[in-house]
CSV table of all heavy atoms in Angstrom, one decimal:
chain,number,residue,atom,x,y,z
D,555,VAL,N,33.5,8.4,5.4
D,555,VAL,CA,33.5,8.3,3.9
D,555,VAL,C,33.8,9.7,3.4
D,555,VAL,O,33.1,10.6,3.8
D,555,VAL,CB,32.1,7.8,3.5
D,555,VAL,CG1,32.0,7.9,2.0
D,555,VAL,CG2,31.9,6.3,3.9
D,556,ASN,N,34.7,9.7,2.5
D,556,ASN,CA,35.0,11.0,1.8
D,556,ASN,C,34.6,11.0,0.4
D,556,ASN,O,34.9,10.1,-0.4
D,556,ASN,CB,36.5,11.3,1.8
D,556,ASN,CG,36.9,12.0,3.1
D,556,ASN,OD1,36.0,12.4,3.9
D,556,ASN,ND2,38.2,12.2,3.3
D,557,GLY,N,33.7,11.9,0.0
D,557,GLY,CA,33.3,12.0,-1.4
D,557,GLY,C,34.2,12.8,-2.2
D,557,GLY,O,34.9,13.7,-1.7
D,558,GLY,N,34.3,12.5,-3.5
D,558,GLY,CA,35.1,13.3,-4.5
D,558,GLY,C,34.2,14.4,-5.1
D,558,GLY,O,33.3,14.9,-4.5
D,559,ASP,N,34.5,14.8,-6.3
D,559,ASP,CA,33.9,15.9,-7.0
D,559,ASP,C,32.3,15.8,-6.9
D,559,ASP,O,31.7,16.7,-6.5
D,559,ASP,CB,34.3,15.9,-8.4
D,559,ASP,CG,35.7,16.5,-8.6
D,559,ASP,OD1,36.2,16.9,-7.5
D,559,ASP,OD2,36.2,16.5,-9.7
D,561,LEU,N,30.3,14.0,-5.2
D,561,LEU,CA,29.7,13.8,-3.9
D,561,LEU,C,30.5,14.5,-2.8
D,561,LEU,O,30.7,13.9,-1.8
D,561,LEU,CB,29.5,12.3,-3.7
D,561,LEU,CG,28.5,11.6,-4.5
D,561,LEU,CD1,28.6,10.1,-4.2
D,561,LEU,CD2,27.1,12.1,-4.2
D,563,GLY,N,32.1,16.0,0.2
D,563,GLY,CA,31.6,16.0,1.6
D,563,GLY,C,32.2,14.8,2.4
D,563,GLY,O,32.7,13.9,1.8
D,565,TYR,N,31.1,11.9,5.1
D,565,TYR,CA,29.9,11.2,5.6
D,565,TYR,C,30.3,10.0,6.5
D,565,TYR,O,31.5,9.8,6.7
D,565,TYR,CB,29.1,10.7,4.4
D,565,TYR,CG,28.7,11.8,3.4
D,565,TYR,CD1,29.4,11.9,2.2
D,565,TYR,CD2,27.7,12.7,3.7
D,565,TYR,CE1,29.1,12.9,1.3
D,565,TYR,CE2,27.4,13.7,2.8
D,565,TYR,CZ,28.1,13.8,1.6
D,565,TYR,OH,27.8,14.9,0.7
D,580,ALA,N,34.0,4.4,-12.0
D,580,ALA,CA,34.8,5.4,-11.3
D,580,ALA,C,34.3,5.4,-9.9
D,580,ALA,O,33.2,5.3,-9.6
D,580,ALA,CB,34.5,6.8,-11.9
D,581,SER,N,35.3,5.6,-9.0
D,581,SER,CA,35.0,5.7,-7.6
D,581,SER,C,34.6,7.1,-7.2
D,581,SER,O,35.3,8.1,-7.6
D,581,SER,CB,36.2,5.3,-6.7
D,581,SER,OG,35.9,5.6,-5.4
D,582,LEU,N,33.4,7.3,-6.6
D,582,LEU,CA,33.0,8.7,-6.3
D,582,LEU,C,33.2,9.0,-4.8
D,582,LEU,O,33.0,10.1,-4.4
D,582,LEU,CB,31.5,8.9,-6.7
D,582,LEU,CG,31.2,8.6,-8.1
D,582,LEU,CD1,29.7,9.0,-8.3
D,582,LEU,CD2,32.0,9.3,-9.1
D,583,ALA,N,33.3,8.0,-4.0
D,583,ALA,CA,33.6,8.2,-2.6
D,583,ALA,C,34.3,7.0,-2.0
D,583,ALA,O,34.1,5.8,-2.5
D,583,ALA,CB,32.2,8.3,-1.9
D,584,GLY,N,35.2,7.2,-1.1
D,584,GLY,CA,36.0,6.1,-0.5
D,584,GLY,C,36.1,6.2,1.0
D,584,GLY,O,35.5,7.2,1.6
D,585,TYR,N,36.7,5.3,1.6
D,585,TYR,CA,36.8,5.2,3.1
D,585,TYR,C,38.1,6.0,3.5
D,585,TYR,O,39.2,5.6,3.1
D,585,TYR,CB,36.8,3.8,3.6
D,585,TYR,CG,35.5,3.1,3.2
D,585,TYR,CD1,35.5,2.3,2.0
D,585,TYR,CD2,34.4,3.2,3.9
D,585,TYR,CE1,34.3,1.8,1.6
D,585,TYR,CE2,33.2,2.7,3.5
D,585,TYR,CZ,33.2,1.9,2.4
D,585,TYR,OH,32.0,1.3,2.0
D,586,ALA,N,37.9,6.9,4.4
D,586,ALA,CA,39.0,7.8,4.7
D,586,ALA,C,39.9,7.3,5.8
D,586,ALA,O,41.2,7.4,5.7
D,586,ALA,CB,38.5,9.2,5.1
D,594,PHE,N,39.1,0.2,-1.5
D,594,PHE,CA,37.7,0.0,-2.0
D,594,PHE,C,36.9,1.3,-2.1
D,594,PHE,O,37.3,2.3,-1.5
D,594,PHE,CB,37.0,-1.0,-1.1
D,594,PHE,CG,37.7,-2.3,-1.0
D,594,PHE,CD1,38.3,-2.7,0.2
D,594,PHE,CD2,37.8,-3.2,-2.1
D,594,PHE,CE1,39.0,-3.9,0.3
D,594,PHE,CE2,38.4,-4.4,-2.0
D,594,PHE,CZ,39.1,-4.8,-0.8
D,595,ALA,N,35.9,1.2,-2.9
D,595,ALA,CA,35.0,2.4,-3.1
D,595,ALA,C,33.7,2.3,-2.3
D,595,ALA,O,33.2,1.2,-2.1
D,595,ALA,CB,34.7,2.5,-4.6
D,596,ALA,N,33.2,3.4,-1.9
D,596,ALA,CA,31.9,3.4,-1.2
D,596,ALA,C,30.8,3.7,-2.1
D,596,ALA,O,29.6,3.2,-1.9
D,596,ALA,CB,31.9,4.4,0.0
D,597,THR,N,31.1,4.4,-3.2
D,597,THR,CA,30.1,4.8,-4.2
D,597,THR,C,30.8,4.8,-5.6
D,597,THR,O,31.9,5.3,-5.7
D,597,THR,CB,29.5,6.1,-3.9
D,597,THR,OG1,28.9,6.1,-2.6
D,597,THR,CG2,28.3,6.5,-4.9
D,598,THR,N,30.1,4.2,-6.6
D,598,THR,CA,30.7,4.2,-7.9
D,598,THR,C,29.7,4.6,-9.0
D,598,THR,O,28.5,4.6,-8.8
D,598,THR,CB,31.2,2.8,-8.2
D,598,THR,OG1,30.1,1.9,-8.1
D,598,THR,CG2,32.3,2.3,-7.3
D,614,ILE,N,24.7,4.9,4.5
D,614,ILE,CA,25.3,6.2,5.0
D,614,ILE,C,24.3,6.9,5.9
D,614,ILE,O,23.1,6.9,5.7
D,614,ILE,CB,25.6,7.1,3.8
D,614,ILE,CG1,26.5,6.4,2.8
D,614,ILE,CG2,26.2,8.4,4.3
D,614,ILE,CD1,27.9,6.2,3.2
D,619,PHE,N,23.9,13.1,2.4
D,619,PHE,CA,24.6,12.2,1.4
D,619,PHE,C,23.5,11.8,0.3
D,619,PHE,O,23.8,11.9,-0.9
D,619,PHE,CB,25.1,11.0,2.0
D,619,PHE,CG,25.6,9.9,1.0
D,619,PHE,CD1,26.9,10.1,0.5
D,619,PHE,CD2,24.8,8.9,0.6
D,619,PHE,CE1,27.4,9.1,-0.5
D,619,PHE,CE2,25.3,7.9,-0.3
D,619,PHE,CZ,26.5,8.1,-0.9
Side-chain angles (χ1 to χ4, degrees):
V555 170
N556 273 354
D559 284 354
L561 288 173
Y565 306 103
S581 170
L582 305 186
Y585 299 95
F594 303 110
T597 303
T598 56
I614 305 288
F619 172 84

